[in-house]
Amino acid sequence: MNHCICKSLISLSFNNSTQLSKPPFVYSISLLLLSSSSSRSHKTGTKTKVSLQDYLRNRHHFSPEAASKASSIRSHLKEPHNSDSVLSFLKQIGFSNTHIENLIQKAPAVLFADLDNTIKPKIKIFQNLGLSSTDIADLISTTPWIFKRSVDSLTQSTLVLRSILGSNADVSKLLKVSAWFLKSDLEKTVMPNIEFTKSCGITTPQIVQHMFTFPRLFLHQPESMKDFVRRVDELGVDRKSKRFLPAIRTISSMSKENWELKLKLFGSLGFSEDDTLSVFRRMPQALAVSVRKIKEVIDVLRRRANVDTSFIVNNPSVLLSSVEKCLNPRLEIFNQLKSKNLLPRKTSLATICKLPKMKFIKRYVVPYSAQLGEVSFPLKAHSL
């Protein structure tokens, strides 16, 4: 039959040759091939590839930047209808356009996922925990690797966390702080680490508090946790002290090389090794402060308050203070009050540096605002 069609087309082409700009035989072959190709595609169910960038921009109105970034990872897709279903579902459960763009440009493979067997069951896990639509969208759009985890592993992780924290509400709260608890095998990391730190005398409330404030501490491998504890013991931190767990966290946050650099830094600033270790035992977080900030705080205190090394050793929390927002304005007010003999009796520099902001303002700014004049401006700027 194709042969008959070809003959008819050739005959028709020669009869109208004066109106054609190309040889008629070329046209007849092209039409024949197109017809044959379309027929084969229809019979075999071959899917036509679609440019992912065009699809995202024209069909779903992605920004050029987001579409370009997604297509740099995956250039084409074969099943637009499946991708349409995925995007429609995400919008339906509360994902904003921004959430979706952030998700797809980081993980375009989500567009090719099985909606019913991969995406919906994982979303259901978070819905069952009580996370709001916005919380789920925030969580997944920032950590799209969640979709790579199996339903069983995600379920198991949430069960382990609930056994530690006691409620779905606290599990939800923790996951909003850090989704990394869903990436590890908690039975091999978090649980052994909790049991080991408990054996060191650390209480459950301390552990739970640190899970919220420094979540990655308990995600270290158990052997690493044991090494951190050994080093903290060697540095002389009392296991019964409330500083013991913060000391472990500080040691876990830096390499041994960085620890040595901090010791050398304090040495260069006039601190003995005993002084530096005393700072660490009193306020472990002080050793985690950046080199630049340590230098800046010590310079300001020495230059503006004429303090010596012992002041910082005895009040190491000052190393955590902001120079711009806390120390400079407080030292200015302190010096003004002192020069005008307005400073209340028994007022120490340590009190000036460490008093909570609102108490400082109530005690040292409000009663003397007329005498201080523009010096009290930090009160209006909400610093201190």
Side-chain angles (χ1 to χ4, degrees):
M1 181 176 177
N2 283 340
H3 178 69
C4 294
I5 294 172
C6 186
K7 284 184 67 178
S8 298
L9 288 170
I10 292 172
S11 174
L12 179 62
S13 299
F14 274 111
N15 290 338
N16 296 281
S17 61
T18 57
Q19 299 178 19
L20 299 175
S21 60
K22 291 186 179 181
F25 187 71
V26 174
Y27 278 90
S28 64
I29 294 297
S30 298
L31 290 168
L32 180 60
L33 291 175
L34 179 59
S35 174
S36 300
S37 174
S38 298
S39 175
R40 288 195 301 271
S41 176
H42 178 73
K43 290 177 181 178
T44 60
T46 302
K47 298 178 178 64
T48 304
K49 286 185 177 181
V50 177
S51 163
L52 181 58
Q53 185 166 1
D54 291 343
Y55 167 82
L56 293 175
R57 289 192 62 184
N58 300 330
R59 197 153 169 169
H60 291 283
H61 311 294
F62 273 49
S63 69
E65 295 77 14
S68 177
K69 189 170 182 180
S71 63
S72 70
I73 301 173
R74 188 92 174 239
S75 60
H76 291 80
L77 73 162
K78 291 183 179 180
E79 298 182 356
H81 293 300
N82 180 74
S83 300
D84 288 342
S85 297
V86 170
L87 294 175
S88 177
F89 172 72
L90 294 177
K91 290 178 182 179
Q92 178 187 338
I93 63 171
F95 278 62
S96 68
N97 291 337
T98 301
H99 284 131
I100 291 174
E101 284 196 1
N102 288 340
L103 172 62
I104 300 305
Q105 63 183 319
K106 291 175 184 175
V110 171
L111 293 169
F112 313 99
D114 186 321
L115 178 59
D116 291 324
N117 296 314
T118 299
I119 293 179
K120 286 185 177 180
K122 294 172 185 178
I123 294 293
K124 189 66 176 175
I125 291 172
F126 300 114
Q127 290 174 333
N128 289 341
L129 285 173
L131 283 163
S132 69
S133 298
T134 302
D135 288 337
I136 294 172
D138 288 341
L139 178 68
I140 292 177
S141 64
T142 53
T143 54
W145 50 258
I146 284 174
F147 280 135
K148 293 183 179 181
R149 304 287 292 171
S150 70
V151 172
D152 287 344
S153 66
L154 289 175
T155 301
Q156 182 61 23
S157 293
T158 59
L159 289 175
V160 171
L161 291 175
R162 188 167 58 192
S163 72
I164 298 168
L165 302 175
S167 69
N168 284 345
D170 281 339
V171 173
S172 299
K173 182 180 176 182
L174 180 62
L175 293 181
K176 285 189 283 185
V177 173
S178 175
W180 285 95
F181 287 98
L182 300 176
K183 203 168 189 177
S184 303
D185 185 340
L186 303 188
E187 295 282 4
K188 295 180 179 179
T189 53
V190 172
M191 292 304 288
N193 285 335
I194 287 177
E195 291 306 313
F196 174 65
T197 50
K198 281 184 177 178
S199 73
C200 296
I202 297 171
T203 66
T204 298
Q206 284 179 294
I207 290 170
V208 170
Q209 179 187 358
H210 268 68
M211 285 180 70
F212 282 104
T213 53
F214 304 101
R216 295 200 187 187
L217 173 61
F218 291 95
L219 291 169
H220 285 285
Q221 290 300 313
E223 289 305 312
S224 296
M225 181 67 85
K226 290 176 182 177
D227 183 59
F228 301 147
V229 170
R230 178 187 59 77
R231 290 170 60 192
V232 170
D233 283 337
E234 291 175 352
L235 292 169
V237 181
D238 188 348
R239 287 193 175 191
K240 295 179 181 179
S241 167
K242 290 183 179 180
R243 306 296 185 188
F244 188 65
L245 188 52
I248 297 172
R249 194 257 306 169
T250 297
I251 289 296
S252 74
S253 71
M254 64 177 76
S255 66
K256 291 180 180 180
E257 291 76 15
N258 283 338
W259 171 260
E260 292 298 325
L261 286 175
K262 290 292 175 68
L263 295 182
K264 290 180 181 178
L265 168 65
F266 277 91
S268 70
L269 295 172
F271 292 73
S272 68
E273 184 174 342
D274 285 342
D275 288 337
T276 306
L277 293 181
S278 181
V279 168
F280 177 72
R281 294 181 195 117
R282 290 168 183 261
M283 183 61 63
Q285 303 93 309
L287 270 290
V289 174
S290 71
V291 169
R292 180 195 61 78
K293 184 172 180 179
I294 290 172
K295 288 181 177 179
E296 190 178 19
V297 168
I298 292 176
D299 174 67
V300 166
L301 288 171
R302 284 175 171 170
R303 180 166 43 83
R304 302 198 63 182
N306 197 31
V307 303
D308 56 18
T309 299
S310 64
F311 175 83
I312 296 166
V313 171
N314 292 321
N315 302 281
S317 62
V318 296
L319 293 171
L320 307 180
S321 302
S322 167
V323 169
E324 180 183 354
K325 295 181 179 180
C326 180
L327 291 181
N328 271 334
R330 289 190 185 206
L331 290 175
E332 180 67 23
I333 289 169
F334 175 75
N335 289 331
Q336 286 286 344
L337 293 177
K338 189 176 181 180
S339 68
K340 296 177 180 181
N341 294 319
L342 296 173
L343 202 63
R345 294 182 61 187
K346 297 182 180 179
T347 299
S348 68
L349 180 62
T351 299
I352 292 292
C353 292
K354 297 191 295 184
L355 202 65
K357 180 178 72 174
M358 295 313 298
K359 286 186 177 181
F360 178 87
I361 290 172
K362 184 177 180 180
R363 189 178 301 179
Y364 297 108
V365 178
V366 174
Y368 310 102
S369 56
Q371 294 92 331
L372 290 170
E374 292 185 2
V375 176
S376 64
F377 177 73
L379 170 63
K380 301 173 185 176
H382 300 289
S383 59
L384 303 175

